[in-house]
Amino acid sequence: MRAIPLTVTALAAALALTACGSGGGSGTNSKNGSACEIGTVSVQVGSASVAPATGDTGEVPVSITNQSAPCTLDGFPGVTLKAGGASVTVATQSGAKTGKLKLAKGDSATFSVSYVRGKDGDKASFAATSMTVSLPGGDATQSFPWKYGAVAGKGSAEKVDATVSTFQQAGD
């Protein structure tokens, strides 16, 4: 009868150890220092190729530079567009595949947000005023102004005609 309490105790200990250091979110475990996190990287929105008129496509580049210990981007960036109290999550590019991208201190990566310009004031367009960026494996976000006009909806403003690309190594 003594084997059951030891087995239960061992199982409980194994589960407790597994739970330690859980970083939450998806992707690489952030608590052991391997996932790139907002706060240890700089995030900048570059000069956009703005869609000039309704129906045109624009592209907003985002760059990430590691400011700390080596880290890994393992997954897709998260992008949410916001307008007032409403928000919509931008989908990843259809067919895009991601892999692990390791960044040493000073290394950079980029991704882009492609969007179709919507008609200002149209119910089927999302009048975004800001864009929030998150990295895989972490919960922190950073917000940037959206100065590129309304984003076309796919049937309604709740699903925007915009996509996020995968991370690409920048520089060398």
Side-chain angles (χ1 to χ4, degrees):
M1 289 296 186
R2 188 157 160 70
I4 292 174
L6 287 176
T7 303
V8 170
T9 303
L11 178 60
L15 289 173
L17 287 174
T18 302
C20 289
S22 174
S26 62
T28 307
N29 186 344
S30 60
K31 297 298 180 196
N32 69 16
S34 60
C36 295
E37 298 180 12
I38 300 281
T40 62
V41 300
S42 68
V43 181
Q44 295 183 337
V45 175
S47 297
S49 172
V50 179
T54 302
D56 290 341
T57 301
E59 191 167 299
V60 181
V62 179
S63 64
I64 296 155
T65 303
N66 186 12
Q67 303 294 317
S68 189
C71 64
T72 303
L73 296 167
D74 186 9
F76 286 93
V79 174
T80 302
L81 297 176
K82 297 184 176 189
S87 64
V88 293
T89 301
V90 178
T92 56
Q93 284 178 341
S94 179
K97 293 184 175 145
T98 187
K100 290 183 181 181
L101 184 58
K102 295 182 181 187
L103 299 179
K105 184 175 182 177
D107 284 352
S108 297
T110 63
F111 69 89
S112 61
V113 179
S114 297
Y115 71 99
V116 175
R117 178 83 179 252
K119 184 176 180 181
D120 291 329
D122 187 9
K123 289 183 193 178
S125 294
F126 189 77
T129 56
S130 67
M131 171 177 74
T132 302
V133 174
S134 64
L135 300 178
D139 296 327
T141 61
Q142 189 167 347
S143 189
F144 299 91
W146 182 267
K147 306 176 272 184
Y148 318 112
V151 179
K154 289 184 174 181
S156 72
E158 287 84 35
K159 188 171 182 181
V160 291
D161 194 353
T163 57
V164 176
S165 73
T166 186
F167 291 106
Q168 300 292 319
Q169 187 81 41
D172 301 324

